[in-house]
Amino acid sequence: MIKSVKMAKKKESDVDVVIKPISRFGGLDNIHVALMALVVVLVLLLFVISGSKTITIVNSTNVTNNTITHLASNFTCTMGNCTQPLHSIAQVKGFVEQVLASYSYVNGSASLIPYFSDIGNATYVYVPKDGKWYVTIPAISIYDKVRFQELVVVSDSNLSLDFVTIETQKPSHIVNDKLVSEGVISLNNKLSCNTQNPVQVFWFIDPYAPGAIASLNNLTTLENRFTNKVNVTIKILFGGATTQVGNEYGLGNAQELGRYLLCASTQQNFGRFSEALQSAYGGQYLSESILNPLAQNSGLNMSEINSCISNSTPLLNRQALLGQYYNITITPVAIVNCKYLTIPQTVQEGVCYDNSSICSAA
C-alpha cells in the first residue's frame, strides 16, 4: 500500500470526534458456542430430573394479548400449593428484549449478540420452586452460521437479571432500548422520520474502523434490492480508528478518506467509486494521491467533489452531532427510519421490520 510521505498538521477546522471502534468485530468462535450450548443443556436437564413440580413451557410465537394472562396464571404443581408468577410472559419478554439490546453497548464481540438473537422464537419457562423465569433464545452467528441457544434467567420477584450464558457476562446496565426483531433494536425515545416511502437509512462509519469500507458492499446490496424505496445517506464519524491513522500521517490527511466518501456518496456514480475503493483498500492509509484518481476513473464530477471537500467541515460537524444524538460508539452501524438500530449485515431486516409492505414486493 502506498503511503504519503508528506505529513499534514491538524487544522483547527478538522473534525475530531472520537467514536470508540469495536475491539473484535467478528462472530463467536466454536468454543464459545459449544460451551454455551452445554450450559443450556445441563440447566434444562436439571429441571427435568428435579421432578418436584410441573414446568409449563410457552412459545412466544403462540402467545396473543388475550391469552397471556390466562397462560401466566395457570401453572400447575404435582404436589403442594403452586405460587403463581408475579409477572406475565409479556412483561418478562419486554425485560429480556431490554437485556439483549443492552449488549449492543458492551465492548468486544458480545456487542453483536442482539444482531443474531431470534427473540421472536424465544421460549419462556417459569419454575415456581425457584421463582425464576428461564428464557431460551435461538441464535445463529451472522458470520459462520453456527446455531446455538442463549439462556437468560430472570428473577420473578423484582424482574431483574439473575444469570446469562451469553459470553459469560452480564451487561453493566440494562438500557431502555428493546430488541424487537432479529438484528433490530428499537431505540428508546426516538421517533420515526416518517411513515412514507422511501425508508430513510443513516449509514454511520468511521472510515478506517474495521468493517467500515467492507460495509459499503452491504449498502449496495440494500439499494439494489429496494431501489427507490430506501434512501441511504452516509454519515461520517471520525473516531478512534481515523485518529490512530492521523497520529502517523496527520489528522487532516487521514480525514480525506471520509471527505471523499461523503462527497462521492451524493453523486450517481458512487457505486463505481465504492467498488474501486474496496478494491484499493487493504486496511491501510489511503492518501489523496490515491483517492483522487479513484474518483476520476469512477466518473465522478471532480469539480463538484473538490468544492464539496473544501466545504465539508460544517456538514461533518452536524453528522458528528447526529452520531452523539444516537449514542453511536461503534461503527459501522445503520439507523433505519430514525428509530431502529442495526448493523450492515441486518439492515435489511430493519427495513422490513419498519415497512413490511416493501419487503413483500422486493
Side-chain angles (χ1 to χ4, degrees):
M1 182 62 62
I2 301 175
K3 296 184 178 179
S4 173
V5 297
K6 183 179 180 180
M7 305 290 286
K9 295 183 178 179
K10 177 179 177 182
K11 299 178 181 179
E12 292 183 358
S13 61
D14 287 337
V15 181
D16 189 11
V17 176
V18 176
I19 307 296
K20 182 173 60 176
I22 192 166
S23 59
R24 175 171 166 251
F25 202 84
L28 298 173
D29 55 42
N30 290 332
I31 294 178
H32 276 90
V33 172
L35 288 175
M36 287 191 293
L38 178 60
V39 171
V40 172
V41 171
L42 290 176
V43 171
L44 295 180
L45 180 60
L46 179 61
F47 298 156
V48 173
I49 65 176
S50 63
S52 61
K53 297 182 184 297
T54 298
I55 300 172
T56 299
I57 300 177
V58 181
N59 193 308
S60 64
T61 58
N62 298 323
V63 176
T64 65
N65 290 333
N66 294 330
T67 60
I68 284 176
T69 301
H70 173 75
L71 290 168
S73 62
N74 281 276
F75 294 95
T76 59
C77 303
T78 56
M79 57 186 299
N81 295 324
C82 178
T83 302
Q84 295 181 3
L86 298 176
H87 296 89
S88 69
I89 294 172
Q91 291 172 317
V92 176
K93 180 178 182 291
F95 177 71
V96 172
E97 289 173 347
Q98 291 181 246
V99 170
L100 293 174
S102 299
Y103 275 95
S104 64
Y105 299 97
V106 174
N107 289 333
S109 61
S111 65
L112 298 175
I113 287 293
Y115 304 108
F116 49 67
S117 300
D118 188 2
I119 189 63
N121 286 307
T123 300
Y124 299 80
V125 178
Y126 177 66
V127 181
K129 180 181 178 180
D130 297 338
K132 301 182 189 302
W133 289 86
Y134 294 79
V135 184
T136 55
I137 307 105
I140 180 171
S141 170
I142 58 178
Y143 293 99
D144 52 23
K145 304 305 179 184
V146 173
R147 295 181 181 274
F148 57 100
Q149 295 281 335
E150 302 165 345
L151 175 65
V152 177
V153 181
V154 178
S155 175
D156 183 55
S157 63
N158 57 1
L159 205 62
S160 61
L161 183 60
D162 187 75
F163 176 77
V164 291
T165 59
I166 305 170
E167 283 281 301
T168 66
Q169 66 183 46
K170 299 179 182 180
S172 58
H173 67 283
I174 306 301
V175 299
N176 289 323
D177 303 338
K178 288 189 175 183
L179 180 66
V180 294
S181 182
E182 187 172 6
V184 185
I185 294 174
S186 178
L187 297 174
N188 183 51
N189 292 330
K190 298 295 186 291
L191 301 177
S192 299
C193 302
N194 54 64
T195 56
Q196 305 294 323
N197 292 335
V199 175
Q200 300 294 323
V201 178
F202 301 151
W203 204 277
F204 289 95
I205 60 173
D206 176 357
Y208 284 105
I213 299 301
S215 77
L216 297 178
N217 186 53
N218 301 96
L219 187 155
T220 301
T221 300
L222 183 74
E223 291 182 325
N224 289 341
R225 178 181 178 185
F226 296 107
T227 58
N228 62 345
K229 295 176 181 178
V230 298
N231 180 31
V232 184
T233 54
I234 288 181
K235 308 296 183 183
I236 303 298
L237 301 180
F238 292 130
T242 294
T243 300
Q244 186 174 0
V245 174
N247 290 338
E248 183 174 356
Y249 297 98
L251 187 60
N253 289 336
Q255 291 180 350
E256 281 297 291
L257 175 57
R259 296 179 191 275
Y260 267 88
L261 276 170
L262 174 67
C263 296
S265 67
T266 64
Q267 296 196 22
Q268 187 174 1
N269 286 334
F270 175 68
R272 293 177 59 185
F273 176 74
S274 174
E275 291 179 3
L277 183 61
Q278 291 179 69
S279 298
Y281 183 71
Q284 301 294 324
Y285 166 65
L286 292 179
S287 66
E288 198 275 339
S289 63
I290 296 175
L291 294 170
N292 190 276
L294 286 178
Q296 290 184 20
N297 295 335
S298 299
L300 298 179
N301 185 317
M302 293 309 297
S303 61
E304 291 183 5
I305 288 291
N306 293 331
S307 175
C308 174
I309 290 176
S310 299
N311 298 284
S312 60
T313 296
L315 179 57
L316 288 167
N317 284 331
R318 290 196 295 271
Q319 293 187 351
L321 291 176
L322 186 64
Q324 292 176 358
Y325 172 73
Y326 284 111
N327 194 27
I328 303 299
T329 58
I330 295 172
T331 69
V333 296
I335 301 290
V336 176
N337 201 8
C338 300
K339 182 176 178 63
Y340 301 107
L341 174 66
T342 72
I343 57 175
Q345 292 84 351
T346 64
V347 66
Q348 293 192 49
E349 285 78 359
V351 171
C352 292
Y353 182 85
D354 177 70
N355 190 338
S356 59
S357 62
I358 67 174
C359 291
S360 59

